[in-house]
Amino acid sequence: EDDVDIEGMAEDLGLDLLELSKKKTICKRCHGLQNFGEVPEELRPGWTEEPLLSQEKFRNLLLPLRENPAVIVALVDLFDFSGSILPELDAVAGDNPVIIAANKADLLPTKMGQTRVESWVRRELEYHGVKSIANIGGAVRLVSCKTGFGVSQLLSKARGLASDMDCDIYIVGAANAGKSTLINHIMSKNDNADKPKGKRRKGNSNAIKGAVTASPLPGTTLEFIKIDIGNGQTLYDTPGLLIPNTLTQRLTPAELKMVVPKSQVEPITFRLASGKCVLIGGLARIEVIGDTKPFLFTFFIANDVKLHPTDSSKADEFVAKHAGGMLTPPLEPGPKRLEEIGEFESHDFEIDGAGWKEAAADISLRGLGWIAVTGAGTAKVRLSVPKGIGFSVRPPLMPFDVWEATAKYTGGRAVRNSSRTKSGKRNKGVGRR
C-alpha cells in the first residue's frame, strides 16, 4: 500500500500540525455536552439499552470501593435532596469515611445559618437510612460547585483524611448532582498557571471550559477519571447513578436546563383555599381539597418553571390547552411531550399546621424542588405528578421564609409583594413571569 503523506495533506489543507497537537481533543459526545448540553438518545444513560451505559455497569464500578481504604465525598443537591442521595451509598462506602457535600448552598434564597442547614441534612440522611455518615471521619459540608463556596474547606477535610489513611479520594453521587463541576473547580484552583486570564467571551469560552465534561444532562461521566491534586494525592471523578423515580430522567436537555436552578431561587408563596390549585409548569399540580381552611404554599422551584394558580376544576383543561406555551416545561409540542412524560396520578395526604409563623412541612418533588406548607389546623392536600415520580413529606428546610415570598397573581404572572427586609432593603417586586 502507498504511504499517506500526512504533512503534505496538512499543507494542502492549510493546517498547522504543531498547533493542532497543542489542542485538547474530545469525542463527539463530549463536544455536544460541553457546547450544547445535548447528546443523542442512544448515548444517554437511562434512555438507551447499550450495556456499557447501563446502571448495573456503573454500580459495579463503584461497589469495590468498600474493599479498600478510601475517602468518599458524596455530593447531594440541596434543591433535590431525595432525588440525589444515593441509595447505594452505605454499600459503596463500607467502613470508609463519608463526607456529604451539600451542593447549591449559594442558591438558598435567604441568609441561613450554616449549622441549621447541616443539621437538617443530617436529619434527612437519617430519614433515608444512610448510616455511613457516622463512620469515623464522617462530616457534612455546604458547598457550591459553581462558585466554589466551601470547596476549599471540603477538600482540606478530604485531603487530611486521605493523608492519615494513605489512600485516594473518590467523588460519588447521583447523576447530575454536580460532581464534574466540582472536579473542574478543584482543578482550576490547582492549576491557576495554565488557566486563561480575562473575562469569558465568545472568543475564549472554549479555552476556559473545564478539563472534565460537565452538563445539566444526567449521566455525563461514564467512567473513573483520575486527577492528580498534588502532594502525591489522587482524586477520582466517578459515574453518577440514576436515582429511581426522578422527574429529570423524563425531560429533554432543553427542559432540564429549565428545572435545574442556575441562579438564586426566588420563592413564591400562594394562599390556597379548598378547590384551588397551583400548576407547576405542566409537570405537577398541588391543590387543597375537602373542608380545609386556606393554607400558604411556598414554592422553592427553579425560576424558569412557570407557576399558575387556578381553580382545580379548570386545571385539566388549562394544561391540555397551554402546556408548552403558558405552562413550561414541558416545551413544544406540549401535548406530545405530556404524553411522553406519562399520565398523572394523584396522591392525597394531610399536613398538620404549625401556625402562621413557620412552615409545618415540605413537600419534596423528586427532580423538581419543594413546596413549604404553612397554616393552622389540618391541610388536606392532593398532589398530582407523572405516574412513578417520587415525592415525600419532610421537616421544612426553610420554615421561616414564607412571609418574605408572598405573591399576588395578575392573570399572566405571579408578582411578589414588595416589602422591606430586616436590613431595610426593599425586596424585588417581580417574581415569576
Side-chain angles (χ1 to χ4, degrees), residues 65-75 89-90 92-101 130-140 154 157-172:
L65 295 182
R66 66 178 298 146
E67 299 172 3
N68 297 295
V71 174
I72 308 297
V73 177
L75 203 62
L89 182 54
D90 287 350
V92 169
D95 295 327
N96 287 315
V98 173
I99 305 173
I100 299 293
V130 176
K131 299 178 180 178
S132 52
I133 185 65
N135 293 351
I136 296 176
V140 173
L154 169 69
K157 171 72 174 178
R159 294 185 73 149
L161 289 169
S163 178
D164 293 341
M165 298 170 61
D166 191 22
C167 66
D168 297 326
I169 303 168
Y170 293 82
I171 309 290
V172 305

Side-chain angles (χ1 to χ4, degrees), residues 328-355:
T328 54
L331 298 174
E332 293 284 8
K336 181 182 178 182
R337 284 295 300 128
L338 283 177
E339 184 178 341
E340 292 170 344
I341 290 170
E343 65 177 306
F344 276 42
E345 61 181 359
S346 296
H347 307 270
D348 295 353
F349 49 91
E350 295 184 354
I351 295 176
D352 292 327

Side-chain angles (χ1 to χ4, degrees), residues 23-41:
K23 293 189 175 183
K24 182 178 68 173
T25 302
I26 61 174
C27 70
K28 183 178 179 180
R29 181 179 185 273
C30 287
H31 180 268
L33 286 168
Q34 283 192 356
N35 292 280
F36 309 107
E38 298 179 356
V39 67
E41 289 185 11

